[in-house]
Amino acid sequence: MKNFVPVFIVVLIGLTSCEDDVYSSDEVVVKACVDAKITDFEEKNICSKSGDVKEYVFQNQQVYVFNPGDCGADMTAEVIDANCTTLGYLGGITGNTKINGVDFSNASYVRTLWRKDPNNKQAIQQDEATQLANQKLAIENTVASYSCTNESDWTFMAIGSKACGGPEGYIAFPKSIAQTVMPQIESYTQARKEFDIKWGMASDCAYAVPPSKVTCNNGKPELVY
């Protein structure tokens, strides 16, 4: 009984802690593997404004939920035990709520070991830059899905924006998809302008000379300057 009482008190304190309390990994006693996983998770966490690691008591054992955040509808939260063994995943497309066949709502919250800082400007800027890159890539992939066999069927327009002024460059695309792809290009260009203004970005001031026409080379469009 002498050994049991202190342990009970520690657990009781943890269970009655407010969920908003944040404990850094050096303020709590966790196994080395969990601590290392938290460090790795913090470095790789892709959501700029959300994400956390929380400790719970579930099925009579300590478990840790690694929630990546809410920047993706199909993202899942990994649940591990104190030995870093994966027990399952919560959320995702199916909205799973069970671990080992038991609803995780039965778990008792203990404490938050780590939480993403929503005011981390560097992370937010990187997240927005990644979104811009993906937006441009989606346009390029759409265009790349069409074969260029007749140059008269193709056209081009400016794309993107330099902080110093003018477009990043030009992109060729089939006239047949102009009504679809042109609004996407305009949307990306506007987003790029807003990004540069928001973050005070700098760029070279070289003028992007517009091409004179589009030619086809081995099924691919080429801009002629």
Side-chain angles (χ1 to χ4, degrees), residues 80-131:
I80 68 170
D81 63 16
N83 294 315
C84 291
T85 300
T86 300
L87 302 178
Y89 296 86
L90 297 170
I93 295 177
T94 61
N96 179 52
T97 62
K98 294 184 177 181
I99 299 295
N100 293 335
V102 179
D103 200 288
F104 200 74
S105 62
N106 294 308
S108 298
Y109 171 80
V110 178
R111 53 194 170 186
T112 298
L113 301 180
W114 173 84
R115 180 184 296 129
K116 190 83 169 187
D117 178 8
N119 298 314
N120 186 332
K121 292 184 178 181
Q122 184 177 0
I124 296 173
Q125 180 181 349
Q126 181 59 48
D127 185 48
E128 292 181 1
T130 299
Q131 291 178 27

Side-chain angles (χ1 to χ4, degrees), residues 7-186:
V7 174
F8 175 78
I9 293 175
V10 171
V11 174
L12 182 60
I13 292 174
L15 290 174
T16 56
S17 298
C18 176
E19 185 161 343
D20 289 333
D21 293 342
V22 180
Y23 298 79
S24 64
S25 58
D26 59 350
E27 293 175 321
V28 296
V29 178
V30 296
K31 284 196 172 183
C33 74
V34 176
D35 198 28
K37 189 173 180 69
I38 292 173
T39 300
D40 184 64
F41 182 75
E42 180 178 2
E43 293 175 352
K44 296 179 179 179
N45 183 251
I46 64 174
C47 292
S48 63
K49 300 179 181 179
S50 56
D52 53 61
V53 179
K54 294 180 179 180
E55 179 182 344
Y56 293 83
V57 174
F58 180 66
Q59 293 185 312
N60 300 317
Q61 65 174 327
Q62 303 301 118
V63 300
Y64 305 87
V65 179
F66 288 73
N67 171 30
D70 55 7
C71 60
D74 60 346
M75 301 182 77
T76 58
E78 182 182 11
V79 181
I80 68 170
D81 63 16
N83 294 315
C84 291
T85 300
T86 300
L87 302 178
Y89 296 86
L90 297 170
I93 295 177
T94 61
N96 179 52
T97 62
K98 294 184 177 181
I99 299 295
N100 293 335
V102 179
D103 200 288
F104 200 74
S105 62
N106 294 308
S108 298
Y109 171 80
V110 178
R111 53 194 170 186
T112 298
L113 301 180
W114 173 84
R115 180 184 296 129
K116 190 83 169 187
D117 178 8
N119 298 314
N120 186 332
K121 292 184 178 181
Q122 184 177 0
I124 296 173
Q125 180 181 349
Q126 181 59 48
D127 185 48
E128 292 181 1
T130 299
Q131 291 178 27
L132 273 175
N134 289 338
Q135 189 175 356
K136 185 178 182 181
L137 182 61
I139 296 170
E140 294 172 339
N141 287 340
T142 296
V143 172
S145 66
Y146 290 82
S147 178
C148 183
T149 56
N150 187 341
E151 62 185 47
S152 64
D153 293 333
W154 287 69
T155 187
F156 63 87
M157 70 180 291
I159 184 172
S161 172
K162 287 186 177 182
C164 195
E168 294 176 36
Y170 294 83
I171 185 170
F173 55 88
K175 294 178 181 178
S176 62
I177 63 169
Q179 291 186 342
T180 300
V181 76
M182 287 178 66
Q184 295 175 354
I185 295 173
E186 292 169 353

Side-chain angles (χ1 to χ4, degrees), residues 181-200:
V181 76
M182 287 178 66
Q184 295 175 354
I185 295 173
E186 292 169 353
S187 175
Y188 166 74
T189 298
Q190 182 60 33
R192 181 72 207 195
K193 287 180 181 178
E194 293 174 357
F195 176 84
D196 290 343
I197 293 172
K198 177 179 180 179
W199 298 106

